[in-house]
Amino acid sequence: ADCIFPAFLFIMGVAIPISLPQNYRNRDDFWSRIRRVLRRSATLIFLGILFDFIALFHADFHWKCPRLPGVLQRLGFTYLVVSVIHLAGTTLLMVVLTLSFVSLNQVLMYAVKVPGCDNGSLTAACNAAGFIDSKLFHKCMIHPTDPEGFVSSLNAVGTVAIGWSAGLAAKEYIKDGKSIKMFFCQVWRIFGCLFCSWCYSHMGAS
């Protein structure tokens, strides 16, 4: 799951510049695309909460409290953020805002004091993400730390933005008359090397 879900986020980011061209004709065209993005995001978030609510009938949870954070909810949130920046801004704005989201995640993780714990602790019971999410979602989350909580979703925006940059590169690759298959072959070769290096380092450490 630590590799598969980020890959979904990355692929969704790749699709954004391909499915949402920035050369809108006028202001009405721009807002119609924003409404489309909002509709898609709201649908993903609604379905995620609905499926979690249905799951309550098959699990030992309080029926009034479906899990609010979740996989589809994170997809909807990150799609909304990156798509709106893509339509409204420039590459520089995307880089600045993405770094802001990731930096905010790190600041929250290390600066927020969790009662009864050392500052900056990353254990399951003491990390700031679980503490902040518990204040936002109360009992409607996986405790002590929800894997799709709000704080960790800030980093997920960065994953989608990396995919967005690959999607932009793919469009330029096509404009030059080159095969899109060859582009993604090169991309996955790079990711394959990085993944093998990561696996090797972790196996060596264990």
Side-chain angles (χ1 to χ4, degrees), residues 125-161:
C126 288
N127 75 83
F131 175 70
I132 295 171
D133 288 339
S134 68
K135 297 298 182 182
L136 292 173
F137 306 118
H138 301 286
K139 295 182 179 180
C140 303
M141 56 173 279
I142 296 175
H143 286 275
T145 302
D146 197 299
E148 279 81 44
F150 171 75
V151 178
S152 58
S153 292
L154 297 173
N155 270 348
V157 172
T159 306
V160 178

Side-chain angles (χ1 to χ4, degrees), residues 21-30 32-33:
Q22 290 176 303
N23 55 338
Y24 38 84
R25 296 183 299 274
N26 49 48
R27 184 175 294 272
D28 290 338
D29 188 26
F30 168 76
S32 69
R33 297 183 190 189

Side-chain angles (χ1 to χ4, degrees), residues 6 40 56 65 107 122-123 126 140 148 163:
R40 289 175 177 174
L56 296 182
C65 189
V107 169
L122 299 180
T123 63
C126 288
C140 303
E148 279 81 44

Side-chain angles (χ1 to χ4, degrees), residues 22 89-96 164 168:
Q22 290 176 303
T90 61
T91 300
L92 178 60
L93 181 63
M94 179 69 77
V95 171
V96 170
W164 170 84
L168 283 183

